[in-house]
């Protein structure tokens, strides 16, 4: 029998080494105070004191981008999916009052295509840089036989910190105002339903979308990356203007905003207070999806909900940061003081028409 090699078995060590070399400049561009060393070690080191913390609480988050990956694979568009990955992790950190510090990724595939993987990880680096978060390492796994040709999987892990006593939520009370920050599109939740709607409606990913004039194809429009909310949320928090924040992911507004509210309160939202992006109107019409289901699956135009006491000051601060923010509701008392926190919203019949 001929002598066997790892490469003959489907794993190219040289390709993995070439990928590490290719992504080093992108990772280096995300370097921030606290990072010790660079890529290539057995583990990443971070100095919290050098990052300016005195009595920190560590906050961690891990996530993926779900079946949005399928669209990225089918269209060959890897550039933005890395931003989605970072956003799904760091947006969850910042709602707890934490500053994202460093990020690691996990990329697994059947056969490593160095150029495509480098584009994907460059997107991760861009997301980290925009969030003030260092890309300190990760894992690239080449596993022939486990993934179909061209397929890959992606996961991320982020660590942040907040000074003790400065975590969120804190002090939410009846009479507070709910402010919504606009979403960039579907973000990275609900794509199993999106893909089902595309399939059953006979929509081609390469066709021009009726809901996004700036995108050439359905695939391009649906792959618009998730917005990164780290900078505006941290700015409000550091200014003492923020009581709570909710990242609107799977479960939509009803499943996420009540998670940061105390018992005995209701977030009463006005569905007419914000413009719902046209992509959601198309999804509802093409899939005959009920409004209740749309709210439970998608962000419907609000990617981050903020609870504040001084709405005028918060809106002024957000405006200086270039945020499209608006008041979307108020915190009210529930009928029972011990009732679980809830959300009340009653969209009109033509809300998504």
């Amino acid at each position: 029998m001929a002598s066997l090699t790892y490469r003959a078995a489907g794993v190219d060590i040289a390709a993995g080494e070439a990928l590490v070399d290719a992504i080093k400049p992108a990772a280096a561009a995300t370097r921030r105070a606290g990072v010790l060393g660079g890529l290539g070690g057995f583990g990443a080191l971070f100095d919290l004191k050098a990052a300016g913390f005195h009595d920190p609480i560590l906050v961690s988050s891990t996530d993926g981008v779900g079946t949005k990956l399928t669209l990225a694979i089918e269209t060959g568009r890897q550039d933005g999916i890395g931003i989605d990955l970072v956003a799904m992790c760091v947006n969850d950190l910042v709602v707890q009052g934490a500053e994202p510090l460093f990020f690691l990724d996990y990329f697994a595939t059947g056969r490593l295509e160095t150029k495509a993987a480098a584009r994907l990880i460059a997107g991760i680096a861009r997301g980290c840089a925009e969030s003030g978060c260092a890309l300190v390492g990760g894992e690239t796994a080449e596993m022939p036989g486990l993934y179909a040709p061209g397929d890959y999987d992606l996961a991320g892990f982020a660590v942040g910190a907040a000074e003790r006593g400065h975590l969120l939520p804190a002090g939410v009370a009846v009479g507070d105002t709910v402010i919504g920050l606009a979403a960039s599109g579907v973000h990275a939740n609900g794509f199993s339903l999106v893909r089902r709607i595309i399939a059953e409606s006979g929509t081609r990913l390469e066709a021009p979308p009726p809901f996004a004039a700036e995108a050439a194809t359905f695939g391009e429009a649906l792959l618009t990356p998730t917005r990164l909310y780290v900078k505006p949320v941290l700015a409000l928090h550091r200014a003492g203007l923020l009581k709570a924040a909710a990242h609107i992911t799977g479960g939509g507004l009803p499943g996420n905003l009540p998670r940061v509210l105390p018992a005995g309160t209701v977030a009463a939202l006005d569905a007419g207070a914000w413009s719902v992006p046209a992509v959601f109107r198309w999804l509802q019409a093409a899939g005959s999806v009920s409004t209740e289901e749309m709210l439970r699956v998608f962000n419907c135009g609000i990617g981050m909900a903020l609870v504040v006491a001084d709405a005028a000051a918060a809106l002024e601060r957000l405006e200086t940061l270039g945020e499209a923010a608006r008041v979307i509701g108020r915190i009210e008392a529930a009928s029972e003081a011990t009732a679980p926190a809830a959300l009340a919203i009653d969209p009109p019949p033509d809300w998504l028409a």
Side-chain angles (χ1 to χ4, degrees):
M1 185 178 72
S3 177
L4 295 179
T5 65
Y6 208 12
R7 184 168 185 171
V11 179
D12 190 343
I13 295 175
E17 292 172 344
L19 177 60
V20 172
D21 288 339
I23 65 175
K24 278 183 178 178
T30 70
R31 191 177 180 90
R32 55 154 295 157
V35 174
L36 302 178
L39 294 184
F42 286 100
L45 306 177
F46 195 92
D47 184 346
L48 285 166
K49 183 176 289 187
F53 289 90
H54 302 286
D55 187 16
I57 300 294
L58 291 178
V59 183
S60 61
S61 175
T62 186
D63 211 335
V65 296
T67 58
K68 190 173 184 177
L69 271 183
T70 302
L71 294 187
I73 292 167
E74 290 176 359
T75 60
R77 298 179 63 90
Q78 284 88 20
D79 302 81
I81 204 74
I83 297 175
D84 282 296
L85 182 67
V86 175
M88 296 305 291
C89 294
V90 299
N91 286 345
D92 279 356
L93 291 184
V94 76
V95 301
Q96 296 176 86
E99 175 187 347
L101 302 175
F102 58 87
F103 188 90
L104 299 99
D105 69 274
Y106 174 80
F107 173 72
T109 187
R111 182 176 181 273
L112 183 59
E113 298 287 346
T114 303
K115 290 183 179 180
R119 289 199 305 271
L120 191 153
I121 296 173
I124 293 174
R126 287 199 304 275
C128 287
E130 290 181 29
S131 305
C133 182
L135 176 58
V136 295
E139 167 68 3
T140 301
E142 195 172 15
M143 297 188 283
L146 189 58
Y147 294 93
D151 279 356
Y152 60 86
D153 199 6
L154 195 60
F157 180 85
V159 173
E163 293 291 355
R164 192 181 302 273
H166 288 80
L167 292 168
L168 295 175
V172 175
V174 172
D176 287 341
T177 299
V178 182
I179 291 174
L181 301 186
S184 56
V186 183
H187 285 182
N189 294 102
F191 271 84
S192 293
L193 179 55
V194 170
R195 290 167 50 243
R196 181 70 176 270
I197 292 170
I198 289 172
E200 296 203 358
S201 65
T203 300
R204 295 179 299 111
L205 290 176
E206 64 271 20
F211 53 81
E214 70 280 3
T217 66
F218 265 91
E220 181 183 342
L222 292 171
L223 285 168
T224 300
T226 303
R227 284 202 61 205
L228 294 153
Y229 296 101
V230 171
K231 290 182 179 179
V233 175
L234 279 183
L236 276 193
H237 185 35
R238 288 168 176 165
L241 294 170
L242 187 60
K243 290 188 171 186
H247 183 201
I248 310 306
T249 55
L253 284 159
N256 287 286
L257 184 49
R259 295 168 63 183
V260 299
L261 304 180
T265 62
V266 175
L269 303 189
D270 174 10
W274 74 92
S275 299
V276 180
V279 61
F280 297 109
R281 296 196 292 273
W282 181 85
L283 287 168
Q284 182 179 46
S288 298
V289 184
S290 71
T291 298
E292 181 181 8
E293 183 73 358
M294 292 292 295
L295 280 165
R296 280 285 181 184
V297 175
F298 302 115
N299 64 63
C300 291
I302 299 296
M304 182 72 70
L306 312 174
V307 181
V308 302
D310 188 340
L315 288 170
E316 181 179 3
R317 177 66 171 155
L318 290 167
E319 184 178 358
T320 66
L321 297 170
E323 283 296 321
R326 60 191 63 202
V327 172
I328 62 171
R330 292 178 59 81
I331 304 301
E332 299 180 351
S335 56
E336 297 182 12
T338 57
L343 180 138
I345 183 170
D346 187 20
D350 60 349
W351 187 53
L352 292 175

